[in-house]
Amino acid sequence: MGGAFLAAAVLARVGARIGLPTIPLFILAGILLGPHTPGFVLVSDPHDMEMLSALGLVLLLFYLGLEFHMDDLKAGGRRMALAGGTYLALNVGAGLGFGFALGWGTSEALVLAGVLGISSSAIVTKVLVDTGRLGNPETKPILGIIVVEDIFLALYLAALQPILSGADSLGSAVLDGGKAFAFLLLLALAARFGTRIVGRLFDTRDDELLVISFLGAAVFMAGVSEWFGVADAIGAFMVGLMLGSTTSGPRILKLVHPLRDAFGAMFFFAFGLSIDPGDLPSVLWPVLAAVAVTLVMNVLAGLGAARIYGFGPGPAANISTTLLARGEFALILATMAAVAGLDARLSPFIAGYVLVLAVLGPLAAGRAEWLARALPGGGAERASEPRKPTPVG
């Protein structure tokens, strides 16, 4: 674990000198020191880092919830749902069509619909932090789309699981989907009406007790969410959403900052461990085609979200590029596909596709003004210039 932290830190420091974002460098550290590349192997079994990786994802989404205030959710619920629905319709629909076009099978096409259709919440959060855009107006629709994606994700996984497992019981699929939806509804009601009670429970002047309390709540709720068939990250997000509206919210935001950075790095490092570069050449052309499809769909979705919110080409470019990366959910689907015995080309395809977009996404987000100039009306307007993130508090 110490070697993983140091390797990520060294590569990130080198990358910072030449202006590269940290996310692809953390992933590269995992690839170079993992079991799938020649030379020194720091971690022989990627599962050894599984708990650290899960904790990194939980903390990234918990921090995102702290930044996403309940007032924003109440005021922009309809537009958020419309923007999120538009994004999913374009990207999931294109992923399903792409899957059928490959001709690998119906189950494979259903998996690819999710792989191409849903952004990486972890990478989106890290990009927003690194580019200093958390306070930008277009960040609200970006976070709204992520929330809608997570809700869709719970229902999608509940419907996909019996298909991949070969279950012939429609009732079982409906039961799983209903359980996930009911739990999401319970979380939403708690976030809407339980903030005052939660605030009293977490009210303490002792920073040590506050850290232990919010960390325990975030991780515990992530585990409960997973048990109900909902993505663990959405449980952590909802805890952050509730705590961000309490009097302790600003202190929690400051205290969670170093934890988020440290364990977030481990999430991306562990992601790199799972990638075998030797498998990528066999699926190179399908990967490049899928990346091209995703680029086009994200630009269209960004334009659609910008129109819904009344934004110009600059914010549209920021929305398109920030949501470009794919990550943790695609890897979950790759694991499910392998267990189900689907086409052997699926796992290396997903790994290559995710790797390309995990690198391309942060790079594109940092240069969104290039896309803004090419969008309709972009000649007179530039994308919002990235600002260096300022310390919280």
Side-chain angles (χ1 to χ4, degrees):
M1 183 167 60
F5 275 115
L6 288 174
V10 168
L11 273 181
R13 288 174 71 90
V14 171
R17 292 182 178 274
I18 55 178
L20 290 178
T22 57
I23 292 171
L25 295 170
F26 293 152
I27 295 172
L28 179 62
I31 294 174
L32 294 177
L33 297 175
H36 304 301
T37 51
F40 176 71
V41 176
L42 179 67
V43 183
S44 58
D45 185 358
H47 292 293
D48 290 344
M49 303 290 290
E50 193 169 5
M51 183 59 69
L52 281 179
S53 172
L55 186 57
L57 179 60
V58 164
L59 288 171
L60 282 166
L61 269 293
F62 174 71
Y63 182 85
L64 190 66
L66 289 170
E67 288 282 358
F68 194 85
H69 297 294
M70 281 299 300
D71 291 340
D72 297 332
L73 193 61
K74 296 173 193 173
R78 183 174 299 177
R79 289 192 296 179
M80 180 185 76
L82 184 57
T86 300
Y87 188 91
L88 286 172
L90 287 170
N91 285 274
V92 174
L96 185 62
F98 181 82
F100 281 121
L102 284 179
W104 291 354
T106 300
S107 294
E108 287 78 359
L110 292 171
V111 170
L112 288 173
V115 171
L116 270 67
I118 297 184
S119 307
S120 166
S121 300
I123 296 180
V124 168
T125 307
K126 191 71 167 60
V127 166
L128 288 172
V129 172
D130 288 350
T131 56
R133 291 181 185 154
L134 281 171
N136 284 17
E138 68 272 13
T139 298
K140 290 181 182 179
I142 290 172
L143 299 185
I145 289 171
I146 290 296
V147 171
V148 173
E149 282 186 329
D150 281 335
I151 294 172
F152 170 80
L153 170 58
L155 302 177
Y156 171 80
L157 282 177
L160 187 65
Q161 183 62 50
I163 296 174
L164 295 185
S165 63
D168 54 2
S169 172
L170 179 62
S172 176
V174 171
L175 181 63
D176 289 342
K179 184 173 72 172
F181 182 77
F183 181 68
L184 283 170
L185 183 60
L186 183 63
L187 283 179
L189 290 173
R192 174 66 178 84
F193 299 107
T195 302
R196 183 173 298 179
I197 298 174
V198 170
R200 291 176 181 172
L201 292 174
F202 283 81
D203 187 19
T204 175
R205 295 181 179 180
D206 189 320
D207 284 351
E208 179 185 13
L209 292 178
L210 186 58
V211 169
I212 294 171
S213 299
F214 74 68
L215 189 59
V219 176
F220 178 77
M221 191 53 67
V224 173
S225 297
E226 195 171 62
W227 188 79
F228 273 97
V230 177
D232 51 5
I234 191 64
F237 174 87
M238 296 301 288
V239 172
L241 190 66
M242 284 185 270
L243 292 180
S245 300
T246 66
T247 55
S248 302
R251 286 174 58 214
I252 294 174
L253 197 66
K254 181 179 179 180
L255 291 168
V256 78
H257 213 275
L259 294 171
R260 180 210 69 193
D261 288 343
F263 290 99
M266 288 303 96
F267 170 80
F268 298 111
F269 180 87
F271 173 33
L273 293 174
S274 66
I275 295 175
D276 185 354
D279 290 337
L280 303 183
S282 63
V283 290
L284 177 62
W285 293 112
V287 165
L288 294 179
V291 168
V293 169
T294 303
L295 285 170
V296 172
M297 291 299 108
N298 262 56
V299 171
L300 293 176
L303 287 170
R307 181 177 291 273
I308 291 169
Y309 280 83
F311 294 147
N318 284 344
I319 294 170
S320 300
T321 54
T322 302
L323 291 167
L324 183 60
R326 303 295 187 261
E328 62 279 1
F329 174 57
L331 298 179
I332 292 170
L333 286 177
T335 303
M336 291 174 62
V339 171
L342 301 187
D343 196 299
R345 293 169 291 185
L346 205 53
S347 290
F349 168 84
I350 293 174
Y353 171 76
V354 170
L355 179 60
V356 170
L357 286 181
V359 173
L360 182 61
L363 290 173
R367 294 160 179 80
E369 68 273 10
W370 295 358
L371 173 61
R373 295 191 197 114
L375 295 178
E381 180 183 340
R382 297 177 60 143
S384 300
E385 291 293 336
R387 303 185 303 272
K388 289 185 178 181
T390 55
V392 177

